[in-house]
Amino acid sequence: MPAAHDTIHVSLKGTAGQAFGAWLAQGVTFELEGEANDYVGKGLSGGKIIVRPPANSGIVPEESIIVGNTVMYGAIQGECYLRGIAGERFAVRNSGAVAVVEGAGDHCCEYMTGGIVVVLGKTGRNFAAGMSGGIAYVLDETGDFDKLCNLSMVELEPVLSEELINAGTYNHSGDLEAHGRVDVFKNLLDSDVERLHVLISRHAKATGSKRAADILANWKEWLPKFRKVMPVEYRRALRELAANADAEPKI
């Protein structure tokens, strides 16, 4: 039987080398106050990884590299919260884990097949190349993310519908829900506002992120700037699964 979340919580300070938290199992949390090198969370298997800079570091986290390249390579389950920017190929081949980061380099979400990624800042070029599954939410402050995203297999969607924007009704799940074990994988075709609020709230709580706190405090202003990255065939498959489930006879 899988261990309960946070059964083991390891707090660390300093600089982590290659593959920090690789294949971390469910029930184990690694919390690092410092920075880490490449391959953080490689093969993540249900554990939780938190990386944040020291409080007295003097850096601006959302403008500074906190982890190296190829973070969460091949992750299958778990959570990763990074207060700062990741290098290239963030979440490459992620197939089921959740991650929140405050910026990423080139080729983010490359060959991703599942999971959820939230980027609270700038990305490099070639975002979502070969991305066939999972979803991503990207904060597009400058309105040019469509030029950085590889649209060969994905489409960009607004997190909010035009009707909600016009009505000014931006419902969210609330902070209490964000602290519980909410199923963020439920209704991946919908519930984007609630899911995004939950994940950003978890990021703020885990890392003390000022960036996340500012977004949550000014939710109505920031929310319309997020873009949802949805693989075309993944969307079709989810719709077919939902239609088949509705068509099954109820006993």
Side-chain angles (χ1 to χ4, degrees):
M1 188 173 186
H5 293 281
D6 293 320
T7 299
I8 300 171
H9 192 120
V10 182
S11 296
L12 304 160
K13 292 185 178 182
T15 300
Q18 299 279 347
F20 174 72
W23 297 289
L24 198 66
Q26 183 171 322
V28 184
T29 296
F30 277 7
E31 182 174 358
L32 173 64
E33 185 179 317
E35 65 280 318
N37 214 314
D38 301 339
Y39 288 100
V40 172
K42 177 180 179 180
L44 186 66
S45 300
K48 183 192 295 183
I49 297 174
I50 301 165
V51 184
R52 54 187 172 82
N56 61 353
S57 65
I59 68 170
V60 180
E62 58 268 29
E63 298 176 2
S64 306
I65 297 289
I66 193 74
V67 291
N69 299 318
T70 331
V71 171
M72 295 183 67
Y73 173 75
I76 62 172
Q77 189 181 6
E79 301 170 76
C80 190
Y81 301 101
L82 307 171
R83 188 182 178 187
I85 300 173
E88 296 186 355
R89 290 192 158 86
F90 181 76
V92 58
R93 296 194 184 279
N94 175 30
S95 65
V98 170
V100 183
V101 66
E102 302 188 358
D106 296 343
H107 316 294
C108 185
C109 296
E110 185 179 41
Y111 303 123
M112 189 164 136
T113 61
I116 304 169
V117 169
V118 179
V119 183
L120 304 178
K122 297 178 180 179
T123 72
R125 63 184 179 84
N126 205 32
F127 191 102
M131 180 180 175
S132 60
I135 57 175
Y137 300 98
V138 178
L139 182 60
D140 184 16
E141 288 189 76
T142 57
D144 62 351
F145 178 63
D146 57 332
K147 297 181 179 65
L148 298 170
C149 189
N150 187 321
L151 297 173
S152 60
M153 296 179 66
V154 303
E155 291 180 346
L156 300 182
E157 304 174 354
V159 171
L160 284 176
S161 68
E162 195 67 33
E163 290 76 13
L164 282 177
I165 292 174
N166 292 335
T169 305
Y170 309 147
N171 294 322
H172 58 75
S173 56
D175 194 50
L176 287 176
E177 188 179 11
H179 295 177
R181 304 311 312 172
V182 178
D183 182 6
V184 294
F185 287 97
K186 188 176 181 181
N187 302 325
L188 289 178
L189 292 170
D190 300 301
S191 305
D192 295 307
V193 176
E194 290 80 3
R195 181 179 300 108
L196 191 56
H197 191 274
V198 166
L199 292 177
I200 296 175
S201 296
R202 288 182 184 174
H203 180 70
K205 183 173 184 288
T207 68
S209 170
K210 182 179 183 299
R211 176 71 156 175
D214 287 345
I215 291 171
L216 294 170
N218 300 281
W219 188 239
K220 291 184 178 181
E221 287 71 34
W222 286 103
L223 190 57
K225 298 177 182 179
F226 279 93
R227 308 292 294 278
K228 180 181 182 179
V229 183
M230 171 62 83
V232 176
E233 289 302 308
Y234 188 62
R235 185 202 295 119
R236 180 188 60 78
L238 290 175
R239 284 175 175 169
E240 287 184 1
L241 286 171
N244 291 337
D246 291 340
E248 289 180 0
K250 302 297 187 292
I251 299 175

